Amino acid sequence: MISRRTVLGTGALAAATLAAPSILHAQTKTLKITTWGGKWGDIMKATVLPAFEKEFKCTVSADQAFPYVPKLQASPKNDPLYDVLHTNSNEQWNCFTEGLVMDKITPKEAPNVADVYPWAASDKIVGVAIFTSAIGLGFRTDKGLTKPTSWKDLADPKLAGARGSYIIPVNSLGQCHLMMLGKIYGKGLQDLDAAYKALEQLKPIKLVDFTGQMEKMLLSGEVSMGVIHDSGVYRYDGQNQPVDFASPSEGVMALEQVLNVTPGSKVKELAFAYVDYMLRPDTQKLLAEGVWYSPANKKVKLDAKYDEKLLTTEAKVATLIQPDWKWYNARKEDIDARVTKILKG
Amino acid sequence: MSAPLPTIRNKQPFDAGRATYLTLNGLLLAFLLAPIAIVLVFALNPTPYISFPPVGVSLRWFEKFFRTPEFTNALFLSLWVAGCVLVLSIVIGGACALALARGNLPGRSFLTAFFMSPLMLPAILTGLALFQSYLLAGIGRPVWGLIMAHTLVAVPYVIRTTLAVLHNFDRRIEEAAAVLGASPTRVFFEVTLPLIRPGVFAGGVFAFIVSFDQFPVSLFLVVPKGETLPVVLFNYMKFDLDGAIAAASMVSILLALSVVLVLERLIGLRAYVKL
Amino acid sequence: MTSATIRLDDVTKIFDGRVLAVDGVTLDIAAGEFFSLLGPSGCGKTTSLRMIAGFELPDSGRVHVAGRDITDLPVHKRDMGMVFQSYALFPHRTVAENVAFGLRMREVPKPDIERRVKAALAQVALTGLEERKPGQLSGGQQQRVALARALVVEPPVLLCDEPLGALDRKLRQQMQFELKELQKRLGVTLVFVTHDQEEALAMSDRIAVMNHGKVEQVGAPTEIYERPRTRFVADFIGEINILEESGRARALRPEKIHLVSDGARVSGTVETANFLGGSTLLRVMTTDGRSLLVRETHAGERPSRKPGDAVGLLWNDQDTVLLEG
């Protein structure tokens, strides 16, 4: 990177005597990315993006307004709306199938990829994952419940009407939960028939659109136990809320934060530099501790409080189960129709 | 003589029809106001989730709303956009309505339907189609592009309300002005415009609210750091579902209400009941 | 106040290429004349008036005012006054602003406007209502405002399109009187459109009776009444008996028939008797099979004829009028 910048600098100097406006143009390259809002967005805007802009002498236009994928789909492929797309893994797979994003990002493009855990660059990932959350069970600590140890604990009859999950067609945590049901009650993640049957047994169940709602339902006590990602519970750490997170013994599902570059990007090098920047240990530590995400980079050393709860060792990482989104997305319509029928009423 | 009179008047027989009528009206009113009441409770409740009954009253969410630049910037952008949409749709919608009502245009009913068509199309498609057109045309997504998009869906409201006024318009009034020496231009500004103004501005109020509350059309057309309030609220909700959302809703409702009241005062929407 | 002559010269108006509204009308209206266009609805009287005002352009023929051809002059340059049946007051302006409108358009200095508006409102007895809006006035008051608004600019020509049509009978008679008086005092040329023959007879210097877009007869009220030229005019103005004699039609007014006991021209039986106050209108079935209207005037005595009474009728041949066509 440094060498590239030097070259750029020299070139700029040389060109300065000839055509000043073109240098100005070169210096104010714009990188168009998507990124999350909330606490994550606050850290990005306050610290990460300004530092990146300063180091790479560019401006970053960060879109925090959903829906990213339809916007990208609707923009011309040779001049895409985004250079770097940040989404969860299943949306990346959708984009990849449509040729909207690249296949893999390797250490060649972003050197820090060499230091990631295997899950972050596995065959279940297009692009590269920079963080993951663990999808498990959130529960109230004040309702006399013992800490769940198995996904099967959600089916406890005592929890009728007080258990929570998601509207499967629109939420990837719900989709993960469905696959997990296939694994627990059937032959594996792809045993849909077993999953459907198990889902039937979970009724009555409270279903929500997105994770923020599940957090509120747990906080308000409307739900005593629900499917949620660890960061959605840990973020209330230190606020004296009677909620906790449990990782079932069968394993947790991975909710990866994935970065990918669009093939039509006009500033590809800058895009790769951004991906690399997001994988730097200091960036990873800052964000991981800010929003309770487990970092992808093996070299990150988190403070004890975070290190204890997040997936920061090879052993802990081994409990992560990565869904096969390519397989799932190919069947999504059938699954949606089926689960809608099951959960109706 | 006068003493027994009130007692007689009070002795009204029970009227089942009237009781039903009042009950239905009461239910309808409750149905319309209940969501606002719930939002208000949520906004004033100190907990970051809706708890019922409320555990207390606090203004912390209003404070958070006004102290968060994302919200206030979005609020000002929304107000600015809605203000421009108000002006544009009044001018365009008023002119369209006049042309439709007075122009002796061929295919008038077709044209009327055509100008109303943005209301028939799902707004999300309007937004998506404009987004693609803008990108293909290479103009990006400037704020005036957003204003144009909102104007597109707001203009039909102005056309409708103006046409309604024009429908009951006594053209002899314009003729009287012409005989008295007013040129066509002066007739328009001295007579026509003041008389259709209530209709035009009633539509303008709709236009303002349509733009201020606009979500589906804006969804694709806002840019990073240039997001309107409904879009910001939608995205905020995905990460932080707390009372700031409710506070923002209350601020929106109050702003929309005050715009309507101010316009009503300034222009007097009820000034000429009898035209 | 000035006044002007008006001349319609063989004027024709066709609407939508097929409805012949005015068909070759020629009229000469003298300066200072109270001239009525009278006829049933659809006869072309309003269209003729609107061509004088300039709201409609004739398809053929010319319009002259004060000897000048104004056919192609736009409405606002014709310098006329007009009063509409619906009054057409500006609802968003006060009475004073309504009256001042024409003066403002003529860029009359402000103090003059105030003075003239005051005078015009005094003229129609509306002093004190300057700040009212039209919606707060009675029909008669609105009519006076419309009149003041039209007259304040001192137009040489005042056009009135059924201006009293919306008023009740009592008010209407009062306004007829006032309007006539005002017109005489100001000397303005007034063209008055009405379908009410009594109103036309009472107010006009001359009347043009119109039918199917054509002028049937022009003349003074007495002339129109006593010597109708066509069957239409005879029929339209007042009560009339049409006598068919050897293929020719003669008109005979009911008051020209006398009730006699001896020497009756024809005898008959009273069928109906309508008491009208100063007279009674009898319908008499004659022995030769005709139904005649007879006006019996009461000079002090009570009405004497009742249905079923036998009566003898007598009239002079000089009192009958030979009709054209």
Side-chain angles (χ1 to χ4, degrees), chain B residues 170-184 186-187 189-192 194-195 271-272 274-275, chain C residues 50 55 75-76 80-82 84 86 88-93 101-102 104-107 135 142 149-150 153 161:
Chain B
D170 181 4
R171 297 209 63 182
R172 302 281 145 128
I173 296 172
E174 291 171 317
E175 291 180 351
V179 177
L180 287 167
S183 64
R186 290 202 83 165
V187 171
F189 285 105
E190 298 263 359
V191 178
T192 317
L195 289 184
Y272 331 103
K274 192 177 148 196
L275 277 183
Chain C
R50 290 173 63 79
F55 296 131
V75 182
H76 66 281
M80 294 179 179
M82 186 153 174
F84 298 83
S86 58
L89 296 177
F90 308 129
H92 56 302
R93 294 181 189 280
F101 190 86
R104 254 190 335 107
M105 294 303 122
R106 283 162 177 74
E107 278 158 13
Q142 291 187 41
R149 182 178 68 174
V153 299
D161 186 6

Side-chain angles (χ1 to χ4, degrees), chain C residues 45-65:
Chain C
K45 58 189 190 295
T46 295
T47 305
S48 300
L49 189 79
R50 290 173 63 79
M51 284 193 285
I52 299 172
F55 296 131
E56 311 289 354
L57 285 179
D59 291 296
S60 69
R62 311 300 296 175
V63 180
H64 301 262
V65 168

Side-chain angles (χ1 to χ4, degrees), chain A residues 36-39 45 61-67 70-71 74-76 81 210 212-213 216 219-220 235, chain B residues 48-50 70 128 131-132 135-136 141 219-220 222 224-225 227 231 234-235 237-242:
Chain A
W36 299 143
K39 185 83 184 291
K45 274 184 283 186
S61 160
D63 194 352
Q64 289 182 303
F66 291 98
K71 282 198 257 189
S75 70
L81 197 61
F210 49 93
Q213 285 169 295
K216 300 304 149 178
L219 290 181
S220 66
R235 61 187 293 199
Chain B
Y49 47 86
I50 304 174
E70 275 85 353
L128 184 62
F131 170 76
Q132 278 190 300
L135 288 189
L136 283 176
R141 292 177 291 168
L219 195 57
F220 286 92
V222 295
K225 290 181 181 161
E227 289 138 5
V231 174
F234 172 73
N235 287 298
M237 212 157 58
K238 291 216 139 185
F239 298 98
D240 300 280
L241 191 82
D242 61 30

